């Protein structure tokens, strides 16, 4: 075991002291989500990054029926995986799109390196290498939650390779640290992530993502995340998660939305209250962050070619809460802003 992780053995003992029910429920998966069923075949892209060999799991789903010659790249959120795009992959494929759904480094079926300098620029570069290897020169991006921050960074970094940009309840519509949310160290994030449980995930997502509502089909995604965390890669998964949280908090894209030049769609569930660090923010700070019913409108005004579609009453993942309504809106916009090739 590396010095980095071995120094955290006391933290592992602490997590073992949690109530038995927190870890007894649900399955456990391997460090690269071995044992969890994906909706389509998972392939692996091997590449070198920061002096080490890594691999990205991804799904490459061909157009079903008549292909339109266009590709859509899906970028998942922090508590999500490529698999959680299952209904979106089907809807897009049925509409004639080739769909690429990668798991970013540090997530799900991809490598969990012990040492890695996480940045949205690096994750964008990793994804760009994957697309190049697949022969995709231009694509439309669909990013959800943290994937919205990544998709925005990708579009800023490789604008000539992005035809359209669609963001689903992206976090990063505000700069939490500038608004007074306290900073957590990576060590503090790590201690927090070691204690992750299915009960805790479900409670957080119900209250923050879905305005107190819950659907039975969401339990599969809770088991996915909790099972990854409590499996044999427990410490490794938690360490990477801590590094990723630090990246999210410290690398805002908020100040660059006005630099986006391609057609951009904001798909916003207005009941979402997600805001990184709100659990430790002072009451007066917590009261003013995470208001997606306001944030969507504000950011749409800063993007030159923006379209805002709101889903009143829906939460952080409208594509999962009301997939038919969501995909109807998404596909109508994709077709309307179809770039001339």
């Amino acid at each position: 075991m590396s010095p980095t992780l071995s120094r955290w053995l006391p933290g592992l003992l602490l997590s073992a002291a949690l109530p038995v029910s927190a870890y007894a429920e649900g399955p456990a998966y391997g460090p690269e989500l071995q044992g969890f069923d994906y909706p389509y075949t998972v392939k692996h892209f091997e590449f070198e990054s920061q002096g080490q060999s890594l691999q990205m799991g991804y799904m490459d789903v061909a157009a079903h029926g008549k292909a339109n010659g266009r590709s859509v790249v899906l970028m998942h959120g922090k508590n999500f995986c490529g698999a959680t795009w299952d209904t979106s992959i089907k809807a897009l494929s049925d509409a004639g799109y080739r769909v690429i759904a990668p798991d970013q480094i540090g997530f799900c079926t991809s490598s969990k390196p012990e040492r890695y300098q996480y940045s949205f620029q690096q994750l964008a570069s990793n994804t760009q290498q994957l697309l190049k290897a697949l022969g995709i020169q231009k694509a439309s991006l669909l990013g959800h939650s943290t994937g919205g921050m990544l998709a925005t960074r990708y579009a800023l970094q490789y604008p000539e390779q992005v035809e359209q940009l669609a963001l689903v309840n992206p976090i990063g519509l505000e700069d939490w640290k500038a608004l007074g949310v306290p900073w957590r160290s990576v060590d503090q994030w790590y201690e927090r992530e070691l204690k992750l449980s299915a009960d805790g995930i479900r409670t957080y997502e119900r209250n923050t993502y879905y305005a107190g509502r819950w659907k039975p089909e969401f339990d599969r995604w809770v088991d996915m995340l909790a099972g990854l965390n409590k499996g044999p890669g427990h410490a490794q998964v938690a360490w990477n998660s801590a590094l990723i949280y630090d990246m999210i908090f410290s690398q805002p894209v908020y100040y660059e939305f006005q630099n986006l030049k391609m057609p951009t769609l904001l798909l916003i569930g207005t009941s979402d209250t997600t805001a990184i660090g709100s659990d430790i923010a002072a009451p007066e700070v917590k009261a003013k962050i995470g208001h997606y019913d306001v944030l969507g409108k504000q950011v749409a005004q800063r993007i030159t070619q923006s379209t805002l579609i709101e889903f009143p009453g829906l939460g952080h993942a409208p594509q999962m809460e009301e997939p038919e309504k969501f995909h109807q809106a998404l596909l109508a916009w994709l077709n309307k802003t179809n770039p001339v090739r």
Side-chain angles (χ1 to χ4, degrees):
M1 181 178 289
S2 73
T4 300
L5 294 182
S6 63
R7 66 187 285 260
W8 284 106
L9 281 174
L12 291 175
L13 295 176
L14 174 63
S15 66
L18 290 173
V20 174
S21 62
Y23 281 92
E25 61 173 302
Y29 301 114
E32 295 179 359
L33 207 51
Q34 294 92 337
F36 183 84
D37 290 331
Y38 265 49
Y40 301 91
T41 300
V42 176
K43 302 177 182 179
H44 296 91
F45 172 60
E46 298 182 357
F47 64 107
E48 296 291 318
S49 178
Q50 299 184 21
Q52 56 194 311
S53 297
L54 301 174
Q55 65 85 18
M56 290 177 68
Y58 69 97
M59 292 175 285
D60 183 357
V61 181
H64 180 73
K66 184 178 180 181
N68 61 19
R70 300 170 63 196
S71 300
V72 178
V73 180
L74 309 183
M75 297 182 173
H76 61 78
K78 172 67 178 65
N79 292 329
F80 301 83
C81 293
T84 52
W85 285 114
D86 57 349
T87 60
S88 297
I89 294 173
K90 184 179 187 306
L92 288 162
S93 175
D94 287 348
Y97 293 89
R98 178 184 180 182
V99 185
I100 312 298
D103 285 332
Q104 297 299 325
I105 294 300
F107 294 86
C108 312
T109 64
S110 295
S111 297
K112 314 291 186 308
E114 290 185 11
R115 52 177 181 81
Y116 206 63
Q117 181 63 53
Y118 277 99
S119 69
F120 285 114
Q121 288 90 339
Q122 179 67 70
L123 298 184
S125 175
N126 297 346
T127 307
Q128 195 265 352
Q129 290 182 63
L130 167 64
L131 298 183
K132 184 178 180 180
L134 295 176
I136 298 174
Q137 297 179 345
K138 288 189 175 184
S140 296
L141 305 184
L142 177 61
H144 171 233
S145 191
T146 297
M149 291 184 78
L150 174 57
T152 300
R153 177 57 58 201
Y154 191 106
L156 291 166
Q157 197 162 319
Y158 306 106
E160 71 285 352
Q161 298 175 26
V162 178
E163 294 178 329
Q164 300 157 299
L165 174 65
L167 307 174
V168 188
N169 280 73
I171 60 172
L173 298 182
E174 55 192 343
D175 182 353
W176 307 289
K177 63 183 185 331
L179 293 170
V181 175
W183 174 76
R184 268 190 178 109
S185 69
V186 171
D187 294 345
Q188 290 170 322
W189 278 117
Y190 182 69
E191 290 177 350
R192 178 181 181 270
E193 291 302 283
L194 284 172
K195 302 173 186 177
L196 203 65
S197 71
D199 288 341
I201 295 167
R202 188 178 295 105
T203 298
Y204 167 76
E205 292 188 355
R206 180 190 293 115
N207 294 339
T208 305
Y209 289 178
Y210 303 116
R213 302 181 303 273
W214 194 255
K215 290 187 176 182
E217 52 264 38
F218 297 165
D219 285 322
R220 168 171 163 78
W221 311 123
V222 171
D223 288 342
M224 174 190 72
L225 188 60
L228 177 65
N229 183 270
K230 71 180 180 181
H234 176 54
Q236 190 178 0
V237 169
W239 180 251
N240 276 264
S241 184
L243 295 174
I244 290 164
Y245 268 122
D246 184 68
M247 172 188 72
I248 295 169
F249 186 80
S250 61
Q251 298 180 26
V253 296
Y254 172 75
Y255 303 101
E256 299 171 77
F257 283 118
Q258 65 270 18
N259 297 330
L260 293 169
K261 303 304 181 185
M262 65 287 298
T264 300
L265 174 65
L266 288 163
L267 296 144
I268 303 294
T270 61
S271 292
D272 188 9
T273 60
T274 305
I276 301 300
S278 62
D279 57 316
I280 58 172
E284 64 272 16
V285 173
K286 185 173 182 178
K288 65 182 181 181
I289 59 178
H291 297 287
Y292 275 76
D293 55 335
V294 176
L295 293 171
K297 296 180 180 69
Q298 290 178 343
V299 171
Q301 292 177 355
R302 301 181 60 196
I303 301 173
T304 304
Q305 296 188 64
S306 70
T307 300
L308 172 65
I309 297 177
E310 294 183 316
F311 299 95
L314 296 189
H316 189 61
Q319 78 277 20
M320 296 162 64
E321 279 194 279
E322 298 288 348
E324 185 174 348
K325 181 187 299 184
F326 173 87
H327 294 122
Q328 183 179 10
L330 171 66
L331 289 169
W333 180 82
L334 287 173
N335 294 331
K336 181 180 179 181
T337 58
N338 183 9
V340 177
R341 288 179 177 270

